[in-house]
Amino acid sequence: MPVLTQSQSPAGLKFGARRKTFDVENALAIDWHGGSAFVTAWFNSMSLLFPLGEKFFIDSVVYFQEEIEDPRLRDEIRSFRAQEATHRIQHQKYNELLCSLRGYSLERFEKNERARMAWAYRELPARRRLAGTVANEHLTAIMAHDMLSKNDVLIGADPAIASLWRWHGVEETEHKAVAFDVFIAVGGTVSERRQALLLNTFFFFKDTMRNLCIMLQKDGKLWSLREWANGFKYLFIKPGILRRVFRAWFSFFRKDFHPWQVDNRQLVREWEKEQPGSTTADAT
Ligand SMILES: [Fe+2]
Ligand SMILES: [Fe+2]
């Protein structure tokens, strides 16, 4: 019997976790993104979501591992797991340092997300949890694409922190279709993933803005009109990172959508060329 092809990744795509360290300690103590409290808090806020979020992504994909027949997709699941596990470790370190340096409470930041995940593990069927992961992977992939393809997203940012974000963006690009292909292989429907994108986009903004406000409040800048105007400009005008990803976000609603319809492997190759020393991922 022929082996089923369930991976829709481009031929020759290979990826794995890279062992990286980032010296972010000094910069995390300050407004590391060009001195902007809002933009710094926006990125810090996203980082705070990753350790719990990425555990959820791994669990929801690995749950279906045994149902996957295509050896290539099984390999990709292993690499996806290894990459997300490394991201969790780096962002956990980032988050702990950030909180201890700036006097924030990590527990408070994670409280809502932790409760919602517990609810999802308890109440949602496994395929719904996977649909949520597919939606979140779309969010991370489109933001990563924007960050890697334009040089204005991290302009003015501390170089060590910027390189952490770029590394994460590269690996999100490489594994952007793994959860999607597993979802299709186990019978996931278009309407399940559409609903999941709406819901997960809402919760992404809710959690990010909540944590951002907590940080600004602690820093005494919650009511600074200048910070909010600057933040609004960054998100929606110039560079306008959210405005720019809207079309890509919306493309997910197409019936025939697949993450590799945008073949952006070139961004990974360009990043690899800039890395000192090793240029290849350890396929795990
Ligand atoms: Fe990740
Ligand atoms: Fe991911």
Side-chain angles (χ1 to χ4, degrees):
M1 220 166 80
V3 179
L4 208 59
T5 304
Q6 294 170 315
S7 165
Q8 299 299 319
S9 294
L13 177 78
K14 270 211 177 316
F15 56 91
R18 299 168 176 84
R19 289 172 203 95
K20 287 272 182 191
T21 49
F22 303 95
D23 184 14
V24 294
E25 186 162 354
N26 293 334
L28 283 175
I30 55 169
D31 290 335
W32 57 265
H33 198 301
S36 162
F38 186 104
V39 180
T40 300
W42 170 264
F43 280 89
N44 288 346
S45 226
M46 287 197 289
S47 176
L48 286 159
L49 300 178
F50 288 134
L52 290 174
E54 293 180 314
K55 179 183 185 304
F56 184 87
F57 305 161
I58 293 171
D59 290 348
S60 60
V61 170
V62 168
Y63 180 91
F64 288 104
Q65 192 169 236
E66 294 311 313
E67 292 180 36
I68 302 303
E69 291 172 35
D70 179 356
R72 184 166 181 226
L73 185 52
R74 288 176 75 110
D75 262 4
E76 289 175 348
I77 293 174
R78 271 190 288 278
S79 301
F80 165 82
R81 182 183 196 164
Q83 288 190 329
E84 295 292 36
T86 323
H87 303 168
R88 291 191 68 212
I89 294 168
Q90 292 292 344
H91 282 277
Q92 184 67 28
K93 269 195 216 159
Y94 179 124
N95 299 345
E96 284 172 11
L97 270 170
L98 172 77
C99 291
S100 78
L101 290 165
R102 301 196 62 153
Y104 303 146
S105 159
L106 186 54
E107 205 187 315
R108 186 178 177 203
F109 285 134
E110 290 186 335
K111 196 174 156 231
N112 286 9
E113 191 188 13
R114 199 179 286 282
R116 199 171 53 256
M117 304 259 148
W119 170 83
Y121 280 112
R122 204 177 54 238
E123 304 289 341
L124 293 184
R127 211 170 73 194
R128 287 274 170 177
R129 295 200 297 270
L130 182 60
T133 296
V134 171
N136 273 304
E137 288 286 284
H138 181 60
L139 297 180
T140 50
I142 60 176
M143 287 195 281
H145 177 88
D146 186 64
M147 178 179 70
L148 296 169
S149 59
K150 310 275 192 328
N151 59 11
D152 53 5
V153 177
L154 291 165
I155 206 161
D158 170 78
I161 302 186
S163 69
L164 182 149
W165 283 101
R166 284 200 193 95
W167 155 77
H168 195 164
V170 160
E171 297 199 349
E172 289 303 320
T173 304
E174 291 175 315
H175 72 228
K176 65 179 175 173
V178 178
F180 191 96
D181 287 343
V182 172
F183 179 70
I184 299 302
V186 300
T189 68
V190 174
S191 95
E192 280 171 350
R193 67 172 171 82
R194 282 176 178 162
Q195 279 175 33
L197 185 65
L198 290 174
L199 210 64
N200 282 276
T201 304
F202 170 76
F203 282 116
F204 168 76
F205 281 114
K206 186 170 176 283
D207 289 346
T208 307
M209 290 313 289
R210 171 186 178 267
N211 288 348
L212 184 145
C213 288
I214 294 173
M215 282 182 243
L216 290 183
Q217 187 175 38
K218 176 88 175 103
D219 301 344
K221 291 180 178 162
L222 184 59
W223 302 108
S224 160
L225 205 61
R226 206 175 69 101
E227 287 300 340
W228 282 89
N230 187 27
F232 183 85
K233 185 178 158 218
Y234 182 82
L235 297 179
F236 298 104
I237 302 169
K238 198 169 180 262
I241 59 167
L242 296 182
R243 171 182 53 77
R244 287 196 310 216
V245 298
F246 180 75
R247 270 174 80 128
W249 177 83
F250 199 70
S251 66
F252 189 84
F253 290 98
R254 284 200 321 258
K255 257 189 196 159
D256 65 344
F257 170 84
H258 187 274
W260 282 114
Q261 281 161 350
V262 174
D263 185 352
N264 53 359
R265 284 173 291 168
Q266 183 58 25
L267 297 174
V268 177
R269 286 193 286 266
E270 281 164 13
W271 176 84
E272 282 185 331
K273 265 191 241 153
E274 288 165 16
Q275 300 309 298
S278 147
T279 56
T280 42
D282 309 319
T284 32

